[in-house]
Amino acid sequence: MELEKLKTRLNNIGIVGEGLDLKSFAVTIPLVEEKGQWKILFQVRGKNLSQAGEVSLPGGRIEKGEKRKDAAIRETCEELLIDPSNIELIGQSDILVTQYGKIIYPFVIKILDKNKIGFSKDEVEEIFYVPIKFFIENEPKVMTVRVKTEPLEDFPYKLNVPASEYNWQEGRLNVYFYKYQNYIIWGLTAKIIYNFIQKIKNLGSEF
């Protein structure tokens, strides 16, 4: 084994499980500047979608062969009816791997012209904006749920793995909630926003 080649390979960090059972999604955290104040755009999911009526960020499934950032921008353009030229990519936030077999890649973008924003009525019920200052000044409420591991019926018991007697671990999962006016921002969306806010809290008063 050539150690120099191994070092190069190990520097290209991936995510365990990616490409196997994980479903890959890309979302954007859209920033809009209005009268000197930075805001985040959110959308309420359309009535014909799963989790209808819940608050979400623009985004969706990454198609085969598609780059993650391209998927995030494509989905955002489709849902907000804007042209890619109206988007400035700022950077990528932390990757989120869920206990539900999903991996989510959040990208921070700036929408250059707020007046050109619309929304697809097939996917979005409405859009609204929340000042970043709100998230900086208001910690989310945190509720804890129990996560239990149970082997399925096709578990390979014939391999003499003592699964039936094994003490499978239980875990706890924090679920975040923000209440802004009449909107509840929670679940994975709130977790992505909470993580983003932790990154920018010390950047100064411009937010």
Side-chain angles (χ1 to χ4, degrees):
M1 178 185 297
E2 296 185 33
L3 291 183
E4 291 304 316
K5 289 184 178 180
L6 176 59
K7 288 179 182 178
T8 301
R9 181 65 58 85
L10 292 178
N11 283 331
N12 296 323
I13 298 172
I15 298 172
V16 175
E18 186 177 8
L20 299 176
D21 296 328
L22 292 177
K23 298 176 182 178
S24 298
F25 297 83
V27 302
T28 60
I29 303 173
L31 306 183
V32 174
E33 188 176 14
E34 186 176 39
K35 297 181 179 178
Q37 186 178 45
W38 286 99
K39 300 181 179 181
I40 299 175
L41 180 152
F42 293 91
Q43 56 192 33
V44 178
R45 291 176 63 82
K47 296 178 180 179
N48 297 323
L49 301 181
S50 61
Q51 299 172 320
E54 291 191 5
V55 174
S56 68
L57 295 164
R61 190 80 175 262
I62 301 173
E63 296 179 355
K64 186 175 181 180
E66 188 176 29
K67 292 182 178 179
R68 298 157 185 165
K69 66 179 180 63
D70 292 341
I73 292 174
R74 172 183 56 78
E75 288 282 351
T76 299
C77 291
E78 290 175 1
E79 294 171 9
L80 299 183
L81 303 179
I82 59 176
D83 191 83
S85 62
N86 196 17
I87 290 177
E88 178 184 346
L89 178 63
I90 305 300
Q92 183 174 346
S93 192
D94 289 341
I95 298 166
L96 177 62
V97 180
T98 78
Q99 72 278 16
Y100 308 114
K102 294 181 180 180
I103 180 168
I104 302 174
Y105 299 91
F107 291 87
V108 182
I109 65 170
K110 176 185 176 182
I111 298 182
L112 303 176
D113 189 347
K114 178 178 180 291
N115 296 321
K116 293 183 179 179
I117 299 174
F119 60 88
S120 169
K121 294 182 180 179
D122 292 332
E123 300 184 69
V124 181
E125 186 72 19
E126 63 173 302
I127 61 173
F128 64 97
Y129 302 88
V130 182
I132 288 181
K133 186 178 179 180
F134 168 82
F135 295 108
I136 293 176
E137 296 178 348
N138 295 274
E139 288 291 316
K141 292 184 178 180
V142 182
M143 302 294 291
T144 304
V145 297
R146 182 179 289 112
V147 180
K148 188 176 181 180
T149 304
E150 290 184 354
L152 299 176
E153 293 79 7
D154 59 351
F155 194 89
Y157 293 102
K158 293 181 180 179
L159 297 178
N160 294 322
V161 178
S164 57
E165 295 82 23
Y166 191 77
N167 184 23
W168 294 96
Q169 293 186 2
E170 291 188 359
R172 292 181 179 273
L173 177 69
N174 287 335
V175 182
Y176 296 86
F177 296 81
Y178 292 99
K179 186 178 188 303
Y180 178 76
Q181 297 180 355
N182 294 324
Y183 300 101
I184 303 296
I185 303 167
W186 75 289
L188 298 179
T189 299
K191 184 172 287 189
I192 291 170
I193 294 300
Y194 177 78
N195 177 266
F196 170 65
I197 294 300
Q198 303 318 300
K199 289 181 174 297
I200 68 171
K201 267 189 173 181
N202 299 321
L203 291 182
S205 58
E206 61 265 28
F207 290 110

